[in-house]
Amino acid sequence: ALHAQQALRGLQWHKDGPGSSSSTGAPAQEQPRGLVQRLRRSEGVAPDTLERGLKLYAFCGLPPEEARRAAKGKGDAFQEVDGLLGRGVYCSLSAEVASGQERELLVVRFFPAGEDEDPGYCGIKVTAEPDPSGLWQEEGFAGCWQPLGLSTIRDPRGELCIRASAITKATLHNPDSWLGSTDRSVEVRKTSRRLAAGIPGTLQRWKFQAGLVRWTSVGFALTSMLLALELIWLGCYGSACGALCVAFIFGVSGF
């Protein structure tokens, strides 16, 4: 199997192209072909997921009893199963997808390049096509992601398949609770943006990233900014500051 160093070499291919010799932004090491030759046009690597210590979040649906055991820290609650992305734990960046088939919804935390030590795998592979043979495991990745919308064929349990050993924590998802710690939706959205950077094809990547933006919030932010400018023109500086605060809040929530 290819290990962490070879996954890092794949990052150079993703940034500079298959035939580039440039090292700008790449790890300070030699760049032999290794993983480069294995990746196809429909495949990529999410660059941020190659950083050790990076924690990501995803939704995962389990039967109620297993979900409660996982939330209590029982590591054997997550069983790797076979699917359209090979063998692993199937998760999703969509709560709707993960909660299907009468499953209890969890938010799992995982480290794609290990938390402190080298786990023997590194990074998240991004593919536009199913990988039922699980080639990503042989290549040394922590998981494989098939972005929603890039293919009409996907596993109903989720579009993200990761190694069970990469999961370090699970929390029952309860967005209506007054305890903010039970709602990790914001962290899952951040994970979506990080993984989207690895989508092969510029237009496909831009399209997916645009879908992550909450355009209604952005619209409110722009409207509030225009109102603030009008209030400044009228000399109502206190009201203008309030409008700018509103614009900032809506702007942050939109991205």
Side-chain angles (χ1 to χ4, degrees), residues 4-12 21-23 26-32 50:
Q5 294 296 329
Q6 291 168 302
L8 287 169
R9 294 163 188 159
L11 176 59
Q12 175 66 21
S21 60
S22 170
S23 60
Q29 56 181 302
E30 296 181 3
Q31 301 292 340
L50 302 174

Side-chain angles (χ1 to χ4, degrees), residues 166-248:
I167 299 175
T168 59
K169 186 178 180 180
T171 306
L172 289 172
H173 182 58
N174 186 10
D176 298 326
S177 172
W178 61 275
L179 293 173
S181 60
T182 62
D183 184 7
R184 294 285 184 177
S185 301
V186 174
E187 283 82 356
V188 176
R189 291 185 67 233
K190 290 179 180 178
T191 296
S192 298
R193 288 195 290 269
R194 288 182 180 276
L195 296 187
I199 295 178
T202 303
L203 293 179
Q204 287 182 320
R205 183 163 60 251
W206 287 354
K207 180 180 178 181
F208 186 89
Q209 290 171 332
L212 297 176
V213 178
R214 295 177 175 175
W215 294 106
T216 301
S217 297
V218 173
F220 279 123
L222 293 175
T223 302
S224 298
M225 288 183 64
L226 292 175
L227 178 59
L229 293 175
E230 182 68 22
L231 291 171
I232 291 174
W233 177 263
L234 296 174
C236 302
Y237 300 110
S239 299
C241 288
L244 286 174
C245 289
V246 172
F248 175 78

Side-chain angles (χ1 to χ4, degrees), residues 18-19 73 96 149 238 248 252 254:
E96 182 180 359
F248 175 78
V252 171

Side-chain angles (χ1 to χ4, degrees), residues 3-11 14-15 27 35 39 44-58 93 110-115 117-127 136 140-145 160-163 166 187-188 190-199:
H3 297 294
Q5 294 296 329
Q6 291 168 302
L8 287 169
R9 294 163 188 159
L11 176 59
H14 176 75
K15 287 187 175 181
L35 182 60
L39 292 177
V45 181
D48 288 351
T49 64
L50 302 174
E51 301 174 8
R52 185 170 302 168
L54 175 71
K55 54 185 176 183
L56 300 178
Y57 295 84
L93 301 180
F110 62 100
F111 289 83
E115 186 172 3
E117 302 178 353
D118 181 7
Y121 51 76
C122 181
I124 299 295
K125 181 179 180 179
V126 184
T127 179
W136 57 271
F141 289 105
C144 184
W145 181 52
L160 174 63
C161 184
I162 56 180
R163 298 174 188 261
E187 283 82 356
V188 176
K190 290 179 180 178
T191 296
S192 298
R193 288 195 290 269
R194 288 182 180 276
L195 296 187
I199 295 178

Side-chain angles (χ1 to χ4, degrees), residues 47-169:
D48 288 351
T49 64
L50 302 174
E51 301 174 8
R52 185 170 302 168
L54 175 71
K55 54 185 176 183
L56 300 178
Y57 295 84
F59 295 111
C60 182
L62 291 178
E65 183 177 346
E66 294 182 19
R68 288 191 289 271
R69 293 183 71 251
K72 292 179 180 178
K74 305 295 183 180
D76 59 347
F78 292 101
Q79 300 293 327
E80 294 188 351
V81 296
D82 294 319
L84 290 180
L85 290 176
R87 190 168 184 81
V89 178
Y90 279 81
C91 306
S92 179
L93 301 180
S94 166
E96 182 180 359
V97 171
S99 60
Q101 301 178 359
E102 299 182 353
R103 290 177 289 182
E104 189 86 14
L105 192 60
L106 295 161
V107 174
V108 297
R109 182 186 70 186
F110 62 100
F111 289 83
E115 186 172 3
D116 298 312
E117 302 178 353
D118 181 7
Y121 51 76
C122 181
I124 299 295
K125 181 179 180 179
V126 184
T127 179
E129 302 172 357
D131 179 17
S133 63
L135 183 61
W136 57 271
Q137 291 222 23
E138 297 178 19
E139 294 170 334
F141 289 105
C144 184
W145 181 52
Q146 184 187 7
L148 294 173
L150 261 65
S151 174
T152 56
I153 303 175
R154 66 170 180 81
D155 198 291
R157 293 166 295 187
E159 78 285 359
L160 174 63
C161 184
I162 56 180
R163 298 174 188 261
S165 57
I167 299 175
T168 59
K169 186 178 180 180

